[in-house]
Amino acid sequence: MDATDQKRLLREMLFARRFEERCAEAYHERQIGGFLHLYPGQEACAIGVLEKARPGSDYVVTGYRDHIHALKSGMDPKVLMAELFGKETGCSKGRGGSMHLFDPDVHFMGGYALVGGPFPLAAGFAKAIQLRGSDEISICFLGDGANNQGTFHETMNMASLWNLPVLFICENNLYGIGTAIERSTVEINQYKRVASYGIEAAQCDGQDIDVVMAHAEKAVQHVREKRKPYFLELMTYRLRGHSMSDSGAYRSKEEVEEWALRDPIGIYKRRLMDAGVLSEDIFHAMDVAVQDEIENEIVRFATESPEPRVEDVARYVYTEGGKQPWLK
């Protein structure tokens, strides 16, 4: 990877961080309603994995902490922010909000509020790919807190039995809402749990984007070439609470500070500076440009977009004629 791509990746992670921080501000300003689950601290996961896949072609499904997965899949950030603002120009016409992003045009097949809900959907997309005989893969992002659901085990069983081209990415941030993983799960290393299903699996550092990309490249290659499932566990940490209503009081100050030293943006920034690819001035200019784009293009678009019309309250509940674009 050359210096241009390295700086692009750093900018993508920085954009993700600033985008989420601006979402938090908008929530407090009451521009965003409903639930809001943010991604700071985990940027290397979604961006690193999808960098080695084919965003816009491969099918991506995830849980409700879904903004950055949607962006890296190719969703227009203006459209995403408009959805969070509940506007008609949003990807779900303002009806879905943060936990229900969806854009079939870039094969982002949704963030889902139901814990454990994405597993069978990802397997279903993989089965459709298999029947169609194309070379895409299905990628399912999941959290450690969902893995005690029955759908997890049922999906792993069928994905292995049917040799489905599906990549499971477990973003293990150590907590299921406010419950530490060791208090809810006997085997805390999630990648070991799929061994009984005959699925090849690995675990790696989810805070270092170079490490994530190296493991993701192997995982994607396995699924795309062997047409069999793979399970990759990324050890990561969310720097904010589970949602906007979560103070994070169940975590010690020392733990949070320790993980903050392993901020994925800080790790990659230092690496590029040590390699002579980046300077503080370049990074500062990058940060200013990112924040300017978010405020003056993305938030402005969302703010100025129209509200959904009252007379359209019952629209988009049922299909309105013809096949949907993702079924062609």
mmCIF file of all heavy atoms in Angstrom, residues 19-55:
data_model
loop_
_atom_site.group_PDB
_atom_site.id
_atom_site.type_symbol
_atom_site.label_atom_id
_atom_site.label_comp_id
_atom_site.label_asym_id
_atom_site.label_seq_id
_atom_site.Cartn_x
_atom_site.Cartn_y
_atom_site.Cartn_z
ATOM 1 N N PHE A 19 -17.597 12.143 12.105
ATOM 2 C CA PHE A 19 -19.000 11.952 11.750
ATOM 3 C C PHE A 19 -19.802 11.508 12.977
ATOM 4 O O PHE A 19 -20.870 12.061 13.271
ATOM 5 C CB PHE A 19 -19.116 10.902 10.641
ATOM 6 C CG PHE A 19 -20.503 10.714 10.094
ATOM 7 C CD1 PHE A 19 -20.921 11.410 8.975
ATOM 8 C CD2 PHE A 19 -21.399 9.826 10.688
ATOM 9 C CE1 PHE A 19 -22.217 11.248 8.462
ATOM 10 C CE2 PHE A 19 -22.680 9.653 10.192
ATOM 11 C CZ PHE A 19 -23.089 10.367 9.080
ATOM 12 N N GLU A 20 -19.266 10.545 13.709
ATOM 13 C CA GLU A 20 -19.957 10.038 14.890
ATOM 14 C C GLU A 20 -20.011 11.083 16.003
ATOM 15 O O GLU A 20 -21.020 11.199 16.705
ATOM 16 C CB GLU A 20 -19.277 8.764 15.379
ATOM 17 C CG GLU A 20 -19.333 7.593 14.392
ATOM 18 C CD GLU A 20 -20.713 6.993 14.256
ATOM 19 O OE1 GLU A 20 -21.571 7.644 13.626
ATOM 20 O OE2 GLU A 20 -20.933 5.878 14.760
ATOM 21 N N GLU A 21 -18.941 11.836 16.161
ATOM 22 C CA GLU A 21 -18.944 12.904 17.167
ATOM 23 C C GLU A 21 -20.006 13.955 16.825
ATOM 24 O O GLU A 21 -20.686 14.473 17.719
ATOM 25 C CB GLU A 21 -17.560 13.546 17.251
ATOM 26 C CG GLU A 21 -16.507 12.640 17.888
ATOM 27 C CD GLU A 21 -15.103 13.207 17.818
ATOM 28 O OE1 GLU A 21 -14.880 14.189 17.053
ATOM 29 O OE2 GLU A 21 -14.217 12.677 18.504
ATOM 30 N N ARG A 22 -20.138 14.252 15.531
ATOM 31 C CA ARG A 22 -21.156 15.238 15.127
ATOM 32 C C ARG A 22 -22.563 14.683 15.322
ATOM 33 O O ARG A 22 -23.498 15.428 15.652
ATOM 34 C CB ARG A 22 -20.940 15.640 13.660
ATOM 35 C CG ARG A 22 -21.832 16.799 13.210
ATOM 36 C CD ARG A 22 -21.556 18.050 14.018
ATOM 37 N NE ARG A 22 -22.432 19.165 13.649
ATOM 38 C CZ ARG A 22 -23.623 19.391 14.193
ATOM 39 N NH1 ARG A 22 -24.109 18.574 15.116
ATOM 40 N NH2 ARG A 22 -24.341 20.440 13.811
ATOM 41 N N CYS A 23 -22.711 13.381 15.157
ATOM 42 C CA CYS A 23 -23.997 12.743 15.431
ATOM 43 C C CYS A 23 -24.366 12.895 16.910
ATOM 44 O O CYS A 23 -25.526 13.152 17.243
ATOM 45 C CB CYS A 23 -23.954 11.264 15.063
ATOM 46 S SG CYS A 23 -23.968 10.929 13.281
ATOM 47 N N ALA A 24 -23.376 12.722 17.778
ATOM 48 C CA ALA A 24 -23.630 12.877 19.207
ATOM 49 C C ALA A 24 -24.090 14.302 19.521
ATOM 50 O O ALA A 24 -25.023 14.503 20.316
ATOM 51 C CB ALA A 24 -22.369 12.533 20.002
ATOM 52 N N GLU A 25 -23.459 15.295 18.898
ATOM 53 C CA GLU A 25 -23.872 16.683 19.100
ATOM 54 C C GLU A 25 -25.301 16.898 18.610
ATOM 55 O O GLU A 25 -26.116 17.542 19.285
ATOM 56 C CB GLU A 25 -22.916 17.619 18.348
ATOM 57 C CG GLU A 25 -21.504 17.671 18.912
ATOM 58 C CD GLU A 25 -20.609 18.583 18.087
ATOM 59 O OE1 GLU A 25 -21.136 19.290 17.195
ATOM 60 O OE2 GLU A 25 -19.384 18.580 18.326
ATOM 61 N N ALA A 26 -25.597 16.363 17.429
ATOM 62 C CA ALA A 26 -26.937 16.532 16.860
ATOM 63 C C ALA A 26 -28.001 15.861 17.730
ATOM 64 O O ALA A 26 -29.129 16.349 17.830
ATOM 65 C CB ALA A 26 -26.973 15.956 15.443
ATOM 66 N N TYR A 27 -27.630 14.767 18.372
ATOM 67 C CA TYR A 27 -28.567 14.081 19.273
ATOM 68 C C TYR A 27 -28.900 14.981 20.466
ATOM 69 O O TYR A 27 -30.058 15.121 20.847
ATOM 70 C CB TYR A 27 -27.943 12.765 19.737
ATOM 71 C CG TYR A 27 -28.857 11.909 20.578
ATOM 72 C CD1 TYR A 27 -29.710 10.975 19.988
ATOM 73 C CD2 TYR A 27 -28.880 12.031 21.970
ATOM 74 C CE1 TYR A 27 -30.562 10.182 20.757
ATOM 75 C CE2 TYR A 27 -29.726 11.248 22.746
ATOM 76 C CZ TYR A 27 -30.550 10.326 22.136
ATOM 77 O OH TYR A 27 -31.387 9.554 22.909
ATOM 78 N N HIS A 28 -27.871 15.596 21.029
ATOM 79 C CA HIS A 28 -28.097 16.491 22.164
ATOM 80 C C HIS A 28 -28.858 17.746 21.744
ATOM 81 O O HIS A 28 -29.555 18.357 22.563
ATOM 82 C CB HIS A 28 -26.761 16.877 22.801
ATOM 83 C CG HIS A 28 -26.112 15.752 23.560
ATOM 84 N ND1 HIS A 28 -26.728 15.082 24.589
ATOM 85 C CD2 HIS A 28 -24.877 15.176 23.417
ATOM 86 C CE1 HIS A 28 -25.925 14.141 25.062
ATOM 87 N NE2 HIS A 28 -24.806 14.175 24.377
ATOM 88 N N GLU A 29 -28.735 18.122 20.484
ATOM 89 C CA GLU A 29 -29.464 19.272 19.950
ATOM 90 C C GLU A 29 -30.889 18.904 19.520
ATOM 91 O O GLU A 29 -31.621 19.743 19.008
ATOM 92 C CB GLU A 29 -28.706 19.849 18.754
ATOM 93 C CG GLU A 29 -27.356 20.448 19.113
ATOM 94 C CD GLU A 29 -26.456 20.665 17.903
ATOM 95 O OE1 GLU A 29 -26.844 20.257 16.787
ATOM 96 O OE2 GLU A 29 -25.361 21.238 18.080
ATOM 97 N N ARG A 30 -31.238 17.628 19.700
ATOM 98 C CA ARG A 30 -32.553 17.089 19.349
ATOM 99 C C ARG A 30 -32.819 17.107 17.849
ATOM 100 O O ARG A 30 -33.974 17.123 17.395
ATOM 101 C CB ARG A 30 -33.678 17.819 20.102
ATOM 102 C CG ARG A 30 -33.580 17.687 21.622
ATOM 103 C CD ARG A 30 -34.762 18.333 22.323
ATOM 104 N NE ARG A 30 -34.658 18.226 23.773
ATOM 105 C CZ ARG A 30 -35.062 17.172 24.484
ATOM 106 N NH1 ARG A 30 -35.592 16.137 23.868
ATOM 107 N NH2 ARG A 30 -34.930 17.161 25.800
ATOM 108 N N GLN A 31 -31.751 17.087 17.068
ATOM 109 C CA GLN A 31 -31.915 16.936 15.624
ATOM 110 C C GLN A 31 -32.014 15.462 15.240
ATOM 111 O O GLN A 31 -32.540 15.126 14.181
ATOM 112 C CB GLN A 31 -30.744 17.588 14.892
ATOM 113 C CG GLN A 31 -30.711 19.108 15.019
ATOM 114 C CD GLN A 31 -29.471 19.704 14.374
ATOM 115 O OE1 GLN A 31 -28.343 19.379 14.739
ATOM 116 N NE2 GLN A 31 -29.678 20.569 13.412
ATOM 117 N N ILE A 32 -31.458 14.592 16.079
ATOM 118 C CA ILE A 32 -31.550 13.144 15.896
ATOM 119 C C ILE A 32 -32.372 12.581 17.044
ATOM 120 O O ILE A 32 -32.114 12.887 18.210
ATOM 121 C CB ILE A 32 -30.152 12.487 15.871
ATOM 122 C CG1 ILE A 32 -29.361 12.963 14.646
ATOM 123 C CG2 ILE A 32 -30.267 10.962 15.863
ATOM 124 C CD1 ILE A 32 -27.938 12.414 14.594
ATOM 125 N N GLY A 33 -33.363 11.785 16.718
ATOM 126 C CA GLY A 33 -34.205 11.181 17.744
ATOM 127 C C GLY A 33 -34.023 9.672 17.783
ATOM 128 O O GLY A 33 -33.285 9.087 16.998
ATOM 129 N N GLY A 34 -34.708 9.039 18.714
ATOM 130 C CA GLY A 34 -34.639 7.588 18.824
ATOM 131 C C GLY A 34 -33.332 7.123 19.433
ATOM 132 O O GLY A 34 -32.671 7.855 20.174
ATOM 133 N N PHE A 35 -32.953 5.902 19.113
ATOM 134 C CA PHE A 35 -31.710 5.336 19.631
ATOM 135 C C PHE A 35 -30.529 5.731 18.761
ATOM 136 O O PHE A 35 -30.663 5.961 17.555
ATOM 137 C CB PHE A 35 -31.811 3.812 19.695
ATOM 138 C CG PHE A 35 -32.778 3.320 20.728
ATOM 139 C CD1 PHE A 35 -34.064 2.927 20.366
ATOM 140 C CD2 PHE A 35 -32.415 3.251 22.067
ATOM 141 C CE1 PHE A 35 -34.967 2.474 21.313
ATOM 142 C CE2 PHE A 35 -33.306 2.794 23.022
ATOM 143 C CZ PHE A 35 -34.577 2.415 22.645
ATOM 144 N N LEU A 36 -29.350 5.798 19.371
ATOM 145 C CA LEU A 36 -28.147 6.152 18.637
ATOM 146 C C LEU A 36 -26.966 5.418 19.255
ATOM 147 O O LEU A 36 -26.625 5.623 20.416
ATOM 148 C CB LEU A 36 -27.911 7.676 18.699
ATOM 149 C CG LEU A 36 -26.777 8.226 17.843
ATOM 150 C CD1 LEU A 36 -27.097 8.064 16.352
ATOM 151 C CD2 LEU A 36 -26.506 9.689 18.165
ATOM 152 N N HIS A 37 -26.355 4.531 18.476
ATOM 153 C CA HIS A 37 -25.213 3.737 18.926
ATOM 154 C C HIS A 37 -24.000 4.116 18.073
ATOM 155 O O HIS A 37 -24.037 3.955 16.854
ATOM 156 C CB HIS A 37 -25.504 2.245 18.786
ATOM 157 C CG HIS A 37 -26.751 1.813 19.501
ATOM 158 N ND1 HIS A 37 -28.004 1.929 18.932
ATOM 159 C CD2 HIS A 37 -26.940 1.280 20.733
ATOM 160 C CE1 HIS A 37 -28.913 1.471 19.778
ATOM 161 N NE2 HIS A 37 -28.292 1.082 20.877
ATOM 162 N N LEU A 38 -22.962 4.614 18.711
ATOM 163 C CA LEU A 38 -21.831 5.187 17.983
ATOM 164 C C LEU A 38 -20.596 4.278 18.006
ATOM 165 O O LEU A 38 -20.483 3.376 18.832
ATOM 166 C CB LEU A 38 -21.513 6.569 18.546
ATOM 167 C CG LEU A 38 -22.691 7.551 18.486
ATOM 168 C CD1 LEU A 38 -22.333 8.876 19.137
ATOM 169 C CD2 LEU A 38 -23.150 7.776 17.042
ATOM 170 N N TYR A 39 -19.650 4.566 17.105
ATOM 171 C CA TYR A 39 -18.568 3.639 16.759
ATOM 172 C C TYR A 39 -17.158 4.072 17.166
ATOM 173 O O TYR A 39 -16.215 3.344 16.885
ATOM 174 C CB TYR A 39 -18.624 3.433 15.241
ATOM 175 C CG TYR A 39 -18.046 2.156 14.702
ATOM 176 C CD1 TYR A 39 -18.580 0.920 15.036
ATOM 177 C CD2 TYR A 39 -16.983 2.184 13.801
ATOM 178 C CE1 TYR A 39 -18.079 -0.254 14.505
ATOM 179 C CE2 TYR A 39 -16.468 1.020 13.257
ATOM 180 C CZ TYR A 39 -17.021 -0.207 13.615
ATOM 181 O OH TYR A 39 -16.529 -1.370 13.080
ATOM 182 N N PRO A 40 -16.952 5.236 17.780
ATOM 183 C CA PRO A 40 -15.579 5.645 18.101
ATOM 184 C C PRO A 40 -14.802 4.581 18.863
ATOM 185 O O PRO A 40 -15.274 4.019 19.849
ATOM 186 C CB PRO A 40 -15.778 6.901 18.953
ATOM 187 C CG PRO A 40 -17.009 7.514 18.388
ATOM 188 C CD PRO A 40 -17.911 6.325 18.120
ATOM 189 N N GLY A 41 -13.588 4.309 18.393
ATOM 190 C CA GLY A 41 -12.722 3.293 18.968
ATOM 191 C C GLY A 41 -12.674 2.026 18.146
ATOM 192 O O GLY A 41 -11.744 1.230 18.276
ATOM 193 N N GLN A 42 -13.665 1.837 17.265
ATOM 194 C CA GLN A 42 -13.754 0.606 16.485
ATOM 195 C C GLN A 42 -13.539 0.835 14.989
ATOM 196 O O GLN A 42 -13.770 -0.061 14.170
ATOM 197 C CB GLN A 42 -15.111 -0.067 16.728
ATOM 198 C CG GLN A 42 -15.359 -0.440 18.183
ATOM 199 C CD GLN A 42 -16.670 -1.179 18.409
ATOM 200 O OE1 GLN A 42 -17.233 -1.145 19.488
ATOM 201 N NE2 GLN A 42 -17.177 -1.867 17.393
ATOM 202 N N GLU A 43 -13.070 2.011 14.609
ATOM 203 C CA GLU A 43 -13.004 2.379 13.192
ATOM 204 C C GLU A 43 -12.184 1.424 12.332
ATOM 205 O O GLU A 43 -12.488 1.203 11.158
ATOM 206 C CB GLU A 43 -12.432 3.797 13.045
ATOM 207 C CG GLU A 43 -13.330 4.896 13.549
ATOM 208 C CD GLU A 43 -13.155 5.208 15.028
ATOM 209 O OE1 GLU A 43 -12.382 4.483 15.703
ATOM 210 O OE2 GLU A 43 -13.768 6.182 15.506
ATOM 211 N N ALA A 44 -11.111 0.858 12.911
ATOM 212 C CA ALA A 44 -10.239 -0.024 12.129
ATOM 213 C C ALA A 44 -10.955 -1.300 11.708
ATOM 214 O O ALA A 44 -10.533 -1.956 10.740
ATOM 215 C CB ALA A 44 -8.977 -0.369 12.921
ATOM 216 N N CYS A 45 -12.017 -1.650 12.405
ATOM 217 C CA CYS A 45 -12.718 -2.909 12.115
ATOM 218 C C CYS A 45 -13.471 -2.830 10.784
ATOM 219 O O CYS A 45 -13.125 -3.530 9.823
ATOM 220 C CB CYS A 45 -13.673 -3.247 13.250
ATOM 221 S SG CYS A 45 -12.866 -3.558 14.841
ATOM 222 N N ALA A 46 -14.502 -2.011 10.716
ATOM 223 C CA ALA A 46 -15.311 -1.930 9.497
ATOM 224 C C ALA A 46 -14.477 -1.460 8.307
ATOM 225 O O ALA A 46 -14.561 -2.021 7.205
ATOM 226 C CB ALA A 46 -16.487 -0.991 9.715
ATOM 227 N N ILE A 47 -13.661 -0.436 8.523
ATOM 228 C CA ILE A 47 -12.890 0.124 7.418
ATOM 229 C C ILE A 47 -11.811 -0.848 6.959
ATOM 230 O O ILE A 47 -11.606 -1.042 5.758
ATOM 231 C CB ILE A 47 -12.298 1.485 7.825
ATOM 232 C CG1 ILE A 47 -13.433 2.498 8.028
ATOM 233 C CG2 ILE A 47 -11.307 1.996 6.774
ATOM 234 C CD1 ILE A 47 -13.002 3.822 8.612
ATOM 235 N N GLY A 48 -11.137 -1.507 7.900
ATOM 236 C CA GLY A 48 -10.090 -2.445 7.539
ATOM 237 C C GLY A 48 -10.612 -3.673 6.826
ATOM 238 O O GLY A 48 -10.027 -4.124 5.829
ATOM 239 N N VAL A 49 -11.720 -4.231 7.301
ATOM 240 C CA VAL A 49 -12.280 -5.426 6.662
ATOM 241 C C VAL A 49 -12.783 -5.117 5.261
ATOM 242 O O VAL A 49 -12.453 -5.807 4.284
ATOM 243 C CB VAL A 49 -13.420 -6.017 7.521
ATOM 244 C CG1 VAL A 49 -14.187 -7.090 6.743
ATOM 245 C CG2 VAL A 49 -12.853 -6.613 8.801
ATOM 246 N N LEU A 50 -13.596 -4.076 5.136
ATOM 247 C CA LEU A 50 -14.198 -3.780 3.836
ATOM 248 C C LEU A 50 -13.188 -3.238 2.838
ATOM 249 O O LEU A 50 -13.426 -3.300 1.623
ATOM 250 C CB LEU A 50 -15.371 -2.817 4.013
ATOM 251 C CG LEU A 50 -16.556 -3.418 4.781
ATOM 252 C CD1 LEU A 50 -17.664 -2.392 4.961
ATOM 253 C CD2 LEU A 50 -17.084 -4.659 4.071
ATOM 254 N N GLU A 51 -12.056 -2.747 3.315
ATOM 255 C CA GLU A 51 -10.984 -2.353 2.407
ATOM 256 C C GLU A 51 -10.487 -3.550 1.605
ATOM 257 O O GLU A 51 -10.045 -3.408 0.461
ATOM 258 C CB GLU A 51 -9.824 -1.736 3.204
ATOM 259 C CG GLU A 51 -8.636 -1.296 2.381
ATOM 260 C CD GLU A 51 -8.910 -0.084 1.494
ATOM 261 O OE1 GLU A 51 -9.881 0.655 1.753
ATOM 262 O OE2 GLU A 51 -8.124 0.135 0.538
ATOM 263 N N LYS A 52 -10.573 -4.728 2.198
ATOM 264 C CA LYS A 52 -10.082 -5.942 1.535
ATOM 265 C C LYS A 52 -11.203 -6.738 0.867
ATOM 266 O O LYS A 52 -10.950 -7.795 0.280
ATOM 267 C CB LYS A 52 -9.353 -6.822 2.548
ATOM 268 C CG LYS A 52 -8.051 -6.197 3.030
ATOM 269 C CD LYS A 52 -7.103 -5.919 1.868
ATOM 270 C CE LYS A 52 -5.816 -5.253 2.297
ATOM 271 N NZ LYS A 52 -4.895 -5.007 1.160
ATOM 272 N N ALA A 53 -12.420 -6.237 0.946
ATOM 273 C CA ALA A 53 -13.542 -6.861 0.250
ATOM 274 C C ALA A 53 -13.862 -6.022 -0.985
ATOM 275 O O ALA A 53 -13.013 -5.267 -1.466
ATOM 276 C CB ALA A 53 -14.737 -6.970 1.184
ATOM 277 N N ARG A 54 -15.066 -6.144 -1.488
ATOM 278 C CA ARG A 54 -15.497 -5.353 -2.642
ATOM 279 C C ARG A 54 -16.743 -4.565 -2.253
ATOM 280 O O ARG A 54 -17.872 -4.967 -2.578
ATOM 281 C CB ARG A 54 -15.806 -6.250 -3.840
ATOM 282 C CG ARG A 54 -14.631 -7.062 -4.350
ATOM 283 C CD ARG A 54 -15.077 -8.007 -5.457
ATOM 284 N NE ARG A 54 -14.007 -8.894 -5.887
ATOM 285 C CZ ARG A 54 -14.205 -9.963 -6.681
ATOM 286 N NH1 ARG A 54 -15.441 -10.240 -7.104
ATOM 287 N NH2 ARG A 54 -13.190 -10.734 -7.016
ATOM 288 N N PRO A 55 -16.562 -3.455 -1.553
ATOM 289 C CA PRO A 55 -17.720 -2.649 -1.152
ATOM 290 C C PRO A 55 -18.550 -2.244 -2.364
ATOM 291 O O PRO A 55 -18.016 -1.875 -3.406
ATOM 292 C CB PRO A 55 -17.073 -1.426 -0.482
ATOM 293 C CG PRO A 55 -15.727 -1.894 -0.040
ATOM 294 C CD PRO A 55 -15.282 -2.864 -1.100
#
